[in-house]
Amino acid sequence: MGTPVTVAVRREITSDHVGDASEWVAAGLALARGFDGCLGGGMLRDTEHDNVLHVVYRFRDETALASWELSEERQRWLRDGDALIVDARTQRRTGIEGWFDGPQLQRSIDPQTGRIRTIGVRAAPMRWKQAVAIWLGMYPLNLLTTYAVTLLPWWGEVPFPLRSAIIVSTLVPVMTFLMMPAVTRALRPWLRRNPGAIRSERALREALSARPPRS
């Protein structure tokens, strides 16, 4: 089983084509969802720069991601957006950082017009919260594993370096694929800075549809 990969792309848009760029990015996300291994994604508008869009999407593993990135559909989609983009920067995350990733949206509503003005980009949980979540996953797993191996009658005869290698080889995959996903799901409201943050792309589409029509 591969490690999920989260990709974050920051795109700076020409100021007079923000609406067109939003629709273009939404079309790209729809294409990505059609590829095997896509685990979802979302588009977010920067709270400080109206002409900056963030896209976060996730694939099952590097192979699935490469299939999307090298596809003719994606290349054609990128060419269609050339005139809209001033600058684009990409970051990838796997492993521990990826445990806490996930597109999360937050809307800011103008109290006078009721229209959505911004869609805020939410960062991963604070480092100390990540550390607590990892500890809560690691402690019971380490306790159980240590207890289980001491019941083996031959365990005391195994050289110490080999014992450590066996324990680590057991803990790492269980932590990565079973324990931490469960812990982060259970702690999700606490890990979020704002429990009321909107996470779904459906909410984003509703936000975009609330934009005043372009003249």
Side-chain angles (χ1 to χ4, degrees):
M1 182 183 295
T3 301
V5 185
T6 299
V7 179
V9 184
R10 178 190 184 277
R11 287 189 172 92
E12 184 177 346
I13 314 301
T14 54
S15 57
D16 54 341
H17 288 98
V18 174
D20 293 330
S22 299
E23 296 171 1
W24 171 74
V25 170
L29 286 170
L31 282 176
R33 285 193 296 270
F35 275 73
D36 180 52
C38 181
L39 302 179
M43 174 173 57
L44 310 96
R45 184 165 297 166
D46 197 299
T47 54
E48 297 181 356
H49 305 92
D50 290 340
N51 66 324
V52 172
L53 295 177
H54 297 262
V55 177
V56 181
Y57 56 90
R58 200 172 204 187
F59 274 80
R60 181 182 58 231
D61 50 34
E62 288 283 359
T63 301
L65 176 61
S67 176
W68 156 246
E69 291 185 333
L70 299 176
S71 67
E72 177 58 33
E73 292 90 337
R74 180 175 181 271
Q75 301 307 315
R76 184 165 51 248
W77 170 74
L78 287 175
R79 289 193 294 269
D80 290 343
D82 281 344
L84 305 174
I85 307 302
V86 176
D87 180 61
R89 304 175 188 177
T90 303
Q91 291 184 337
R92 299 189 185 196
R93 291 182 177 181
T94 57
I96 292 176
E97 288 292 335
W99 288 337
F100 302 99
D101 284 335
Q104 301 179 13
L105 314 181
Q106 184 175 11
R107 295 183 293 183
S108 173
I109 302 177
D110 188 317
Q112 296 181 344
T113 65
R115 291 174 179 167
I116 297 169
R117 300 176 59 186
T118 61
I119 300 176
V121 179
R122 290 188 10 86
M126 291 178 285
R127 291 288 184 176
W128 72 269
K129 287 190 175 184
Q130 296 184 30
V132 170
I134 294 171
W135 187 91
L136 290 174
M138 177 65 75
Y139 177 73
L141 184 59
N142 182 63
L143 188 65
L144 180 62
T145 302
T146 302
Y147 174 73
V149 296
T150 57
L151 297 179
L152 301 174
W154 45 265
W155 184 251
E157 301 175 5
V158 178
F160 179 74
L162 181 56
R163 277 186 280 171
S164 297
I166 293 173
I167 291 177
V168 170
S169 298
T170 301
L171 291 178
V172 169
V174 176
M175 277 288 293
T176 301
F177 300 113
L178 297 177
M179 182 62 78
M180 285 310 302
V183 170
T184 53
R185 281 196 301 270
L187 298 180
R188 186 169 296 161
W190 176 73
L191 288 169
R192 294 177 187 169
R193 292 181 182 177
N194 178 6
I198 302 169
R199 300 184 64 243
S200 68
E201 291 182 37
R202 184 183 300 112
L204 176 61
R205 288 194 293 271
E206 292 173 356
L208 292 174
S209 66
R211 289 187 291 109
R214 298 190 301 273
S215 56

